[in-house]
Amino acid sequence: STSMKGLPDRMVLLPNGILFFAECKAPGKKARALQKFVHKKLRGLGFSVYVIDSKEQITKILKDLEALPQTPQAL
């Protein structure tokens, strides 16, 4: 919802049912207090939330996700 303040910028959907939220920041910038609050709520619900401020972080996240076990899709 674009009307809820504090939500991460992107919801990322990848093959094998991988879903995570990404907060995109300028290099060196951090999440604001409201964003941190919402990120904590989402993590409490079992979702992954990443605050990303560099291309290197994106590369690391994708490599970490590649290491996850593959689960067959349910029909």
Side-chain angles (χ1 to χ4, degrees):
S1 170
T2 57
S3 64
M4 184 177 164
K5 293 189 182 297
L7 275 180
D9 297 314
R10 300 285 182 261
M11 179 174 61
V12 182
L13 305 168
L14 298 174
N16 296 310
I18 296 171
L19 179 148
F20 65 89
F21 292 93
E23 184 67 50
C24 303
K25 294 292 184 186
K29 298 291 181 180
K30 304 293 181 197
R32 296 184 317 269
L34 178 59
Q35 291 171 323
K36 289 179 183 179
F37 174 80
V38 173
H39 297 174
K40 184 176 179 181
K41 290 281 192 184
L42 290 169
R43 288 181 181 119
L45 292 170
F47 296 104
S48 295
V49 180
Y50 299 97
V51 179
I52 302 168
D53 74 344
S54 71
K55 184 178 177 181
E56 292 77 23
Q57 281 181 301
I58 295 168
T59 302
K60 182 184 180 327
I61 291 165
L62 293 176
K63 282 185 179 181
D64 290 349
L65 292 173
E66 284 177 351
L68 292 175
Q70 301 292 315
T71 32
Q73 297 294 321
L75 296 176

